[in-house]
Amino acid sequence: MMELLEVNHLRVAFSEGNKDYCAVNDISFTLGEKEVLGIVGESGCGKSITAQTLVGIQHPKAKILSGSVKLRGKELLHQTEDEWSKIRGKEISMIFQEPMTALNPLMSVGRQIQEVLWVHGLAKEKNQKEITLKMMEDVGLRDVEELYNSYPHELSGGMRQRIMIAMALIANPKMLIADEPTTALDATIQAQILRLFNRMKEAYEGSVIFISHDLEVVASICHRVIVMYAGRIVEIGSADELLSHPCHPYTFGLLRAIPSYKMRGKRLYNIPGTLPPLAERNFTGCPFCDRCEKKMKICFEVFPKPFERGNRTVYCHLFGEENHG
Ligand SMILES: Nc1ncnc2c1ncn2[C@@H]1O[C@H](COP(=O)(O)OP(=O)(O)OP(=O)(O)O)[C@@H](O)[C@H]1O
Ligand SMILES: [Mg+2]
């Protein structure tokens, strides 16, 4: 069966001086139909650059060096802005961390949701408002007739995020990308939005990429999880297995940093060191080697080939054939 999305050897770089530094370095993964896939990793790992590349909203200084991104077999990279405007919202939607920056402050929220239908010509004009109101109810908003005419600044953060979700889903896109959709919200609202996601994923026909720096949050709603470090994918596995048996030392470190995870009562662990800035990373070896408790000489020299077992993929010399052949 063809995967919904196939990303192959994608590299995205920023230039400094006359050198290119990969913020996303040779990543490959697939997203299945109706799958909810998480991407997790510390700040600066390249999660957002990956997401932005998938929806064609590249930072003007970001350069796609190589790779391919195929949606049901159709290449998405290097489309014109014209093509992207037909794809975005209809085939692929995105939800951002801060809805205020994505919503138009001058247009009522109802109209903004409805506009998606209008832009893509998805319903008869006389039916559009009704569909919009129904969608607003589906994302858990109340008094939707009244709310339809409100402006973004009149709503709470949680309500604005629900508006964004309604906008993203109203065209029933094949794929939804949510980039830290709950990070800006307080804990109670965050839990509500996560519950909404969990509820929506039953009704919604498409697939989801859910991005967060919080492994626990990601694991609670995703089938499968990608762990990124310094622009590289270091591990991919099912959410359950990743939590119960992390393979990569970085995944293990992220797990130990979760307060509730197994070691209740013990002092909270932090992975020693910090993610180096883009220009100071190891691009040939494993970028995590500096901070890794299990580092070997080879880790500094070559990035490991993927080691696959079941539905787990690990990029770590501890699991390479050369060590376990
Ligand atoms: N406009 C830019 N110019 C130069 N480098 C950039 C730019 N935007 C991002 N980067 C670099 O790309 C890397 C990846 O950034 P990205 O925003 O994808 O990280 P992230 O994983 O989404 O982090 P966060 O959790 O903080 O959102 C960062 O290390 C950063 O140094
Ligand atoms: Mg980000």
Side-chain angles (χ1 to χ4, degrees):
M1 198 185 78
M2 193 198 277
E3 302 281 1
L4 175 70
L5 183 82
E6 282 183 40
V7 177
N8 270 306
H9 301 294
L10 179 66
R11 288 160 75 228
V12 184
F14 290 96
S15 308
E16 224 180 277
N18 51 10
K19 273 201 81 173
D20 290 334
Y21 297 98
C22 285
V24 170
N25 197 357
D26 197 11
I27 65 167
S28 302
F29 66 92
T30 60
L31 173 70
E33 304 278 351
K34 276 211 81 151
E35 184 177 30
V36 181
L37 176 69
I39 302 183
V40 72
E42 283 165 294
S43 183
C45 279
K47 306 181 297 294
S48 294
I49 301 293
T50 302
Q52 288 161 16
T53 308
L54 300 185
V55 289
I57 40 170
Q58 208 74 112
H59 186 278
K61 282 162 94 186
K63 278 198 290 192
I64 298 170
L65 295 186
S66 63
S68 86
V69 174
K70 288 186 177 154
L71 187 72
R72 289 207 180 130
K74 181 184 146 84
E75 179 61 57
L76 294 182
L77 293 185
H78 311 295
Q79 297 280 359
T80 61
E81 189 45 44
D82 227 34
E83 289 286 334
W84 269 117
S85 64
K86 286 179 214 148
I87 299 168
R88 240 182 267 126
K90 182 155 174 283
E91 313 259 335
I92 305 179
S93 286
M94 181 143 167
I95 302 170
F96 301 88
Q97 175 171 349
E98 189 26 85
M100 212 45 190
T101 56
L103 293 170
N104 179 347
L106 303 176
M107 195 192 280
S108 79
V109 293
R111 290 232 46 110
Q112 291 190 56
I113 301 169
Q114 193 168 325
E115 202 177 58
V116 179
L117 294 175
W118 183 77
V119 165
H120 298 291
L122 289 176
K124 290 211 181 82
E125 218 157 322
K126 65 173 174 31
N127 299 333
Q128 285 177 353
K129 180 160 182 185
E130 196 188 320
I131 297 171
T132 302
L133 294 173
K134 166 81 170 50
M135 188 72 225
M136 290 170 77
E137 278 173 352
D138 285 350
V139 296
L141 292 163
R142 272 174 246 148
D143 303 320
V144 292
E145 294 268 0
E146 203 184 314
L147 205 59
Y148 181 95
N149 294 311
S150 311
Y151 287 83
H153 72 266
E154 297 174 297
L155 309 186
S156 69
M159 284 163 94
R160 284 200 286 263
Q161 200 52 289
R162 286 176 200 267
I163 297 289
M164 279 243 292
I165 295 169
M167 257 173 96
L169 292 183
I170 195 158
N172 205 12
K174 298 190 182 94
M175 181 172 124
L176 170 71
I177 303 181
D179 189 0
E180 308 256 9
T182 61
T183 308
L185 306 169
D186 68 52
T188 323
I189 309 297
Q190 177 168 356
Q192 283 176 14
I193 297 288
L194 286 175
R195 273 202 298 278
L196 173 65
F197 263 99
N198 262 323
R199 189 159 56 74
M200 300 291 290
K201 80 182 181 204
E202 301 307 321
Y204 168 57
E205 306 272 289
S207 310
V208 181
I209 295 182
F210 189 98
I211 297 174
S212 171
H213 59 269
D214 188 331
L215 181 54
E216 218 177 7
V217 165
V218 164
S220 74
I221 82 153
C222 298
H223 304 124
R224 231 162 27 107
V225 177
I226 291 176
V227 182
M228 279 187 85
Y229 185 79
R232 298 274 197 182
I233 287 178
V234 297
E235 185 162 10
I236 308 177
S238 75
D240 296 346
E241 289 175 20
L242 216 65
L243 286 189
S244 54
H245 296 101
C247 287
H248 199 284
Y250 180 60
T251 314
F252 188 64
L254 285 180
L255 266 177
R256 283 175 69 194
I258 298 176
S260 59
Y261 177 71
K262 282 186 184 167
M263 7 201 118
R264 243 176 268 265
K266 291 207 181 138
R267 229 178 85 222
L268 201 57
Y269 174 84
N270 265 314
I271 303 171
T274 52
L275 175 69
L278 193 54
E280 290 164 28
R281 293 179 188 169
N282 183 337
F283 291 97
T284 47
C286 172
F288 188 60
C289 59
D290 282 336
R291 302 173 69 186
C292 186
E293 289 172 3
K294 304 226 160 113
K295 58 178 163 273
M296 302 175 285
K297 188 165 165 280
I298 191 173
C299 306
F300 291 84
E301 292 156 7
V302 269
F303 188 72
K305 292 199 168 58
F307 175 79
E308 296 181 35
R309 179 165 293 170
N311 56 13
R312 183 85 60 110
T313 308
V314 194
Y315 297 79
C316 175
H317 289 295
L318 291 171
F319 299 87
E321 295 297 336
E322 55 269 43
N323 299 301
H324 300 265

